[in-house]
C-alpha cells in the first residue's frame, strides 16, 4: 500500500555574534572564514514508503557593512552542507529578486567555466556553484553576497529511510 506522510519543522538559529557552531552540518562563510549569521532553517519532509525527500530552506545574513549605508564590496561565500549517509542531492536553488533560480547538474569543468563567466562585470546573473567535496559533504561558492543582505538557499535531498520493526525513523542533521 502507498504510504504518504508530510512533516514540517521550523527552527530559528540565534547566531548571536555571527559565529556558527563548530562541526555544524550547515555553514556559510566569507572567503576570510568569517561566518555569516544563520538566521532561519525551515525543513519539510515528504515520505512515500521508504523514500524521503527532505527540503532545507536556509536564510543567512551578511552583517558586514554598517547601518549608515557604507557599502563594502560584495563577498564570495562558501556554503557547506553535510548530507546524511546515503542521501542524494535532488534540488539546489538560490533565491534572487523573489524568485528561485534552480541549479542543474553538469560536468565539473563545465560548471566551473560557467561560474567564472558569471563573475564578469558584463553578466547580470548571480552564480552559485555546488560541488560534492568528500563523501557526503557538499560545498557551494556563492557570489555576490552584498553587505547587510540576506542569502536564501534551498537544498533538497532524497534518501531511503531504514525500517526498524514497524517504524521508520528519519534524523535530520
Amino acid at each position: 500500500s502507498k504510504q504518504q506522510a508530510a512533516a514540517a519543522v521550523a527552527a530559528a538559529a540565534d547566531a548571536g555574534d555571527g559565529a556558527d557552531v563548530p562541526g555544524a552540518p550547515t555553514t556559510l562563510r566569507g572567503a576570510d572564514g568569517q561566518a555569516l549569521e544563520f538566521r532561519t532553517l525551515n525543513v519539510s519532509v515528504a515520505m512515500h514508503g521508504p523514500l524521503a525527500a527532505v527540503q532545507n530552506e536556509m536564510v543567512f545574513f551578511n552583517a558586514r557593512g554598517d547601518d549608515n549605508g557604507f557599502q563594502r564590496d560584495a563577498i564570495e561565500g562558501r556554503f557547506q552542507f553535510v548530507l546524511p549517509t546515503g542521501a542524494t542531492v535532488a534540488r539546489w536553488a538560490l533565491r534572487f529578486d523573489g524568485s528561485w533560480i534552480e541549479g542543474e547538474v553538469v560536468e565539473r569543468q563545465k560548471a566551473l567555466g560557467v561560474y567564472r563567466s558569471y563573475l564578469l562585470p558584463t553578466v547580470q546573473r548571480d552564480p552559485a556553484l555546488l560541488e560534492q567535496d568528500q563523501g557526503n559533504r557538499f560545498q557551494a561558492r556563492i557570489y555576490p553576497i552584498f553587505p547587510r543582505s540576506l542569502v536564501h538557499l534551498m537544498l533538497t535531498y532524497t534518501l531511503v529511510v531504514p525500517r526498524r520493526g514497524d517504524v521508520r525513523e528519519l534524523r535530520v542533521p
Side-chain angles (χ1 to χ4, degrees):
S1 73
K2 292 185 178 181
Q3 177 186 16
Q4 294 182 351
V9 178
D14 180 7
D17 63 358
D20 58 353
V21 178
T26 305
T27 60
L28 179 59
R29 299 179 173 280
D32 62 1
Q34 181 181 346
L36 277 69
E37 293 178 19
F38 195 175
R39 288 281 176 97
T40 61
L41 168 64
N42 289 311
V43 178
S44 60
V45 177
M47 292 191 67
H48 182 75
L51 301 176
V54 181
Q55 177 175 284
N56 298 271
E57 185 175 346
M58 299 152 281
V59 179
F60 296 88
F61 177 67
N62 180 9
R64 293 175 170 99
D66 62 31
D67 293 328
N68 298 322
F70 176 73
Q71 299 287 310
R72 290 197 229 170
D73 292 336
I75 63 168
E76 178 181 63
R78 300 287 178 138
F79 170 75
Q80 178 178 299
F81 194 96
V82 179
L83 296 175
T85 302
T88 303
V89 173
R91 180 181 184 203
W92 166 244
L94 167 71
R95 194 163 82 190
F96 181 72
D97 282 343
S99 299
W100 288 103
I101 300 171
E102 300 295 327
E104 61 182 276
V105 177
V106 295
E107 188 270 328
R108 182 181 295 261
Q109 286 305 110
K110 180 179 179 183
L112 189 55
V114 169
Y115 178 81
R116 288 181 178 152
S117 74
Y118 283 156
L119 297 178
L120 299 172
T122 57
V123 177
Q124 299 298 312
R125 292 188 61 185
D126 291 343
L129 177 63
L130 181 69
E131 300 176 285
Q132 186 171 1
D133 187 27
Q134 297 176 20
N136 58 346
R137 184 173 68 179
F138 283 78
Q139 294 192 70
R141 296 176 2 192
I142 301 165
Y143 181 85
I145 301 174
F146 294 103
R148 317 281 313 155
S149 68
L150 295 172
V151 178
H152 297 260
L153 304 173
M154 177 88 64
L155 190 135
T156 302
Y157 61 85
T158 58
L159 74 159
V160 174
V161 181
R163 179 181 293 220
R164 293 194 177 112
D166 290 337
V167 177
R168 294 187 188 279
E169 182 177 275
L170 173 64
R171 294 183 185 263
V172 178

